[in-house]
Amino acid sequence: MTRPHILILHGPNLNLLGRREPEHYGDMDLAAIDAMLRDLASELGVAVESFQSNHEGALIDRIHAAQEAGVGGIVINPAAFTHTSIALRDALLGVEIPFVEVHLSNVYRREAFRHRSYLADAAVGVIAGFGAESYALALRALTQYIQREG
Ligand code: CA2
């Protein structure tokens, strides 16, 4: 059996991680998070690929390409698009790939506009507030979900 393939998507401004706002987002930069996820993926027996974009359309194109490539699951931190993007929601629903929504910060302890997600009710689950560990928890949980459901 081939290893399940999981796509990690990072939304806008996450390329700035590690440089500012460590009180919300921790001090790891995106390259370190992706490296941590690659190590975890080999432990879990899955393949991961990461992609970051500041552009809504580029993230949507990547989601469409994931379907063509037979990706089995998506871990996505949609960043600010969480709170604004019906287009991202439609893309994720359109490809029918199970996904987990991830946030570094606990968005429910922050401004009210961060409490609304256009994706959460369509996700397998949501993990928020554990910094970089949120991604690791999501990858573990999604791997188990795919193994169980697939
Ligand atoms: O907590 C999260 O992971 C967020 O998705 C991060 C988004 C924010 O808009 C969401 O409400 C919650 C912001 C990502 C921006 O990251 C930065 C990192 C360093 C410096 C500036 C921005």
Side-chain angles (χ1 to χ4, degrees), residues 1-21:
M1 205 176 80
T2 54
R3 287 188 304 165
H5 192 142
I6 294 180
L7 176 65
I8 314 287
L9 286 180
H10 308 285
N13 298 308
L14 287 165
N15 55 309
L16 299 177
L17 275 181
R19 288 189 233 165
R20 281 183 17 228
E21 303 193 46

Side-chain angles (χ1 to χ4, degrees), residues 40 127 130 132-142:
L40 177 59
I127 299 173
F130 295 97
E133 187 62 19
S134 291
Y135 283 97
L137 292 166
L139 181 57
R140 282 185 190 280
L142 188 56

Side-chain angles (χ1 to χ4, degrees), residues 13-14 16 20-21 25 77 79-80 83 103-105 107 114:
N13 298 308
L14 287 165
L16 299 177
R20 281 183 17 228
E21 303 193 46
Y25 305 127
N77 183 346
H83 321 299
H103 299 286
L104 296 154
S105 63
V107 284
R114 296 187 201 276

Side-chain angles (χ1 to χ4, degrees), residues 1-5 44-46 143 146-148 150:
M1 205 176 80
T2 54
R3 287 188 304 165
H5 192 142
L44 295 172
V46 296
T143 299
I146 291 168
Q147 284 164 349
R148 217 175 36 231

Side-chain angles (χ1 to χ4, degrees), residues 4-7 49 62 65-74 97-98 146:
H5 192 142
I6 294 180
L7 176 65
E49 191 182 342
R62 195 66 193 75
Q67 187 181 41
E68 300 297 310
V71 165
I74 297 175
I97 297 173
I146 291 168

